[in-house]
């Protein structure tokens, strides 16, 4: 019987292990890929201290998890509380997929968010996960633009190497 509850200190090792398993799968990494100690420690610290809720599903062992991170931004006309959230870390072990576990986790997290006054929830979905989020009421959003800072820095360095520019600038040397 699968039990779902808020993750706690006693679940940290299982939770971090599930997260790393998910990241290996989603990013196409080898099963034995090693994450840095800092990355693991930072992930653990966020689970322990971040403004978030993490649910864990257990069937003798941890088989699934999902987190929601809360963010407060300046209120807007459509989002007058300024309370927003981001669903991350939704993962179910392969042998437990297609049983409604992830749907239940997402539903429970969205209900908690509503109780907290959240007016917008965002999720980055893999192709495999899109159906789950559509069924849960999420829609594709073409309103937002994002900046991936590490990617931008890498592109600037590559451009500087190609052009010989000594500064990280936006000028067009090509």
């Amino acid at each position: 019987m699968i039990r779902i509850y808020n993750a706690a200190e006693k679940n940290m090792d299982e939770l971090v292990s599930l997260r790393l398993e998910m990241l290996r799968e989603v990013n196409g990494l080898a099963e034995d890929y090693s994450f840095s100690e800092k990355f693991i420690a930072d992930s653990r610290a966020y689970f322990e201290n971040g403004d978030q809720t993490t649910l864990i599903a257990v069937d003798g062992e941890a088989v699934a998890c999902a987190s929601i991170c809360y963010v407060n931004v300046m209120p807007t006309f459509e989002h007058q509380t300024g309370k927003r959230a981001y669903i991350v870390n939704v993962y179910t072990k392969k042998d437990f997929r297609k049983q409604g576990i992830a749907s239940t986790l997402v539903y429970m997290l969205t209900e908690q968010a509503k109780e907290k006054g959240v007016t917008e929830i965002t999720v980055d979905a893999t192709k495999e996960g899109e159906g789950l989020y559509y069924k849960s009421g999420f829609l594709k959003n073409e309103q937002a633009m994002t900046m991936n800072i590490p990617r931008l820095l890498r592109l600037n360095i590559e451009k500087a190497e190609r052009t010989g520019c000594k500064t990280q600038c936006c000028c067009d040397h090509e």
Side-chain angles (χ1 to χ4, degrees):
M1 168 136 182
I2 295 176
R3 294 180 305 120
I4 297 174
Y5 52 88
N6 284 340
E9 181 79 30
K10 68 179 183 171
N11 308 110
M12 277 310 122
D13 290 337
E14 286 182 303
L15 192 54
V16 170
S17 178
L18 271 177
R19 176 167 170 69
L20 299 180
E21 183 178 323
M22 180 226 19
L23 290 172
R24 284 183 189 101
E25 184 177 327
V26 168
N27 292 292
L29 303 172
E31 287 183 31
D32 63 347
Y33 178 86
S34 294
F35 292 90
S36 73
E37 291 300 320
K38 180 175 179 1
F39 182 84
I40 294 169
D42 288 349
S43 295
R44 181 182 208 96
Y46 191 80
F47 282 131
E48 293 173 346
N49 304 312
D51 189 7
Q52 57 86 37
T53 299
T54 297
L55 299 176
I56 191 165
V58 175
D59 185 18
E61 66 174 352
V63 299
C65 61
S67 301
I68 190 165
C69 305
Y70 297 101
V71 180
N72 288 316
V73 298
M74 185 179 293
T76 65
F77 183 74
E78 287 188 27
H79 305 287
Q80 295 188 5
T81 66
K83 295 178 180 180
R84 299 186 184 194
Y86 194 76
I87 291 181
V88 296
N89 206 45
V90 178
Y91 182 71
T92 305
K93 288 187 172 193
K94 287 183 181 182
D95 292 345
F96 292 86
R97 292 181 184 165
K98 303 293 183 195
Q99 297 178 27
I101 300 169
S103 295
T104 300
L105 294 172
V106 169
Y107 173 78
M108 291 172 71
L109 290 175
T110 57
E111 289 302 304
Q112 286 182 18
K114 289 176 194 174
E115 290 171 12
K116 290 180 177 250
V118 169
T119 57
E120 181 179 77
I121 302 172
T122 303
V123 63
D124 287 336
T126 61
K127 269 293 189 213
E128 297 81 21
E130 282 184 352
L132 161 71
Y133 300 113
Y134 282 128
K135 289 177 190 172
S136 298
F138 287 82
L139 302 172
K140 282 210 178 210
N141 179 350
E142 296 184 17
Q143 298 171 351
M145 297 175 71
T146 60
M147 176 189 285
N148 180 319
I149 293 174
R151 179 182 170 276
L152 182 64
L153 292 174
R154 187 176 64 252
L155 291 174
N156 281 342
I157 290 168
E158 290 169 2
K159 183 176 181 181
E161 289 170 350
R162 274 195 326 274
T163 63
C165 183
K166 304 266 189 255
T167 63
Q168 298 301 309
C169 64
C170 298
C171 56
D172 190 5
H173 292 286
E174 299 177 289

